[in-house]
Amino acid sequence: SAVISQKPSRDICQRGTSLTIQCQVDSQVTMMFWYRQQPGQSLTLIATANQGSEATYESGFVIDKFPISRPNLTFSTLTVSNMSPEDSSIYLCSVSQGRTEAFFGQGTRLTVV
Amino acid sequence: TQLLEQSPQFLSIQEGENLTVYCNSSSVFSSLQWYRQEPGEGPVLLVTVVTGGEVKKLKRLTFQFGDARKDSSLHITAAQPGDTGLYLCAGAEVYQLTFGKGTKLSVIP
């Protein structure tokens, strides 16, 4: 298994500002994933972040709104840009080991006011 | 787009009761996983089922994968307050996971 540290754990932000979420893994992993979990909804994949290449975004998510960095095999950041109340959600960092079993950070609960 | 339907969406039961949660899809997945998520935490993997008809047990939890690998169930025997949480099923295909909306379980002491 992997231990994933995500921060901040929660934040309240003003609309129009940006927030960068950090994800640190205790071992080297090839693929890191960023999910969004809106209240009462399932986990939705935002993008897959591979070291040394640009992130791959899912339909409905764009790099200008959710820029991602992956400088090495243990770290990634997700920025939520120009926030609006609709961005209020839980953002989760995840890694896969072996088959597709996923390990998650504790999540970042974002509230945009 | 592959979709996973979970039922029931909410479940509130008394301690000691049994319950079953269902996860259904119209598509076949190479494997199916169950996670539990507690408030303020990320989902934690409980089990992965791979083979059609497979049954796995984890203490009081029994997981079953349908013969056609499109559906799964989670049965909890003698539920405890510590079982309270959001139970998510996820279908795996290549490196992608598709999550259901989850079943929110409350076990009342």
Side-chain angles (χ1 to χ4, degrees):
Chain A
S1 64
V3 177
I4 302 167
S5 300
Q6 196 174 327
K7 58 181 180 181
S9 59
R10 58 177 61 229
D11 208 342
I12 301 173
C13 300
Q14 295 288 328
R15 67 177 69 197
T17 63
S18 298
L19 176 72
T20 296
I21 302 167
Q22 299 180 5
C23 179
Q24 179 75 52
V25 189
D26 69 341
S27 58
Q28 294 184 338
V29 292
T30 304
M31 303 176 80
M32 295 179 74
F33 306 87
W34 287 98
Y35 287 87
R36 182 172 72 184
Q37 186 178 26
Q38 294 180 306
Q41 300 294 318
S42 178
L43 276 71
T44 302
L45 182 63
I46 297 171
T48 302
N50 295 324
Q51 193 268 338
S53 63
E54 280 200 3
T56 303
Y57 288 83
E58 297 299 308
S59 175
F61 298 96
V62 295
I63 188 171
D64 289 346
K65 176 66 176 178
F66 297 101
I68 288 171
S69 78
R70 183 79 201 273
N72 57 53
L73 291 173
T74 63
F75 187 79
S76 178
T77 67
L78 169 76
T79 298
V80 186
S81 303
N82 189 24
M83 289 182 284
S84 67
E86 291 71 35
D87 295 320
S88 297
S89 188
I90 298 173
Y91 292 86
L92 292 153
C93 167
S94 169
V95 303
S96 288
Q97 288 186 332
R99 288 176 288 193
T100 50
E101 289 105 343
F103 299 93
F104 288 86
Q106 81 272 28
T108 296
R109 183 179 292 272
L110 170 63
T111 302
V112 184
V113 297
Chain B
T1 303
Q2 297 174 311
L3 290 175
L4 282 169
E5 298 289 336
Q6 280 189 247
S7 62
Q9 192 174 353
F10 300 97
L11 190 56
S12 181
I13 62 170
Q14 294 287 345
E15 181 177 358
E17 292 184 351
N18 302 332
L19 66 114
T20 303
V21 174
Y22 299 93
C23 176
N24 296 294
S25 171
S26 58
S27 304
V28 175
F29 290 100
S30 59
S31 68
L32 197 138
Q33 300 162 18
W34 284 92
Y35 294 81
R36 183 170 70 206
Q37 184 178 22
E38 298 184 24
E41 300 292 328
V44 175
L45 179 67
L46 295 173
V47 77
T48 300
V49 286
V50 179
T51 307
E54 184 176 3
V55 176
K56 281 192 174 178
K57 291 194 174 185
L58 187 67
K59 297 183 180 178
R60 294 176 292 100
L61 279 60
T62 302
F63 304 86
Q64 187 162 3
F65 202 13
D67 290 340
R69 288 167 46 220
K70 292 182 180 180
D71 55 88
S72 181
S73 63
L74 158 60
H75 182 78
I76 301 179
T77 303
Q80 303 294 312
D83 296 327
T84 294
L86 178 68
Y87 288 81
L88 295 156
C89 68
E93 201 55 53
V94 194
Y95 289 103
Q96 292 259 358
L97 287 176
T98 301
F99 283 86
K101 285 192 175 183
T103 294
K104 194 167 185 178
L105 171 65
S106 296
V107 182
I108 304 164

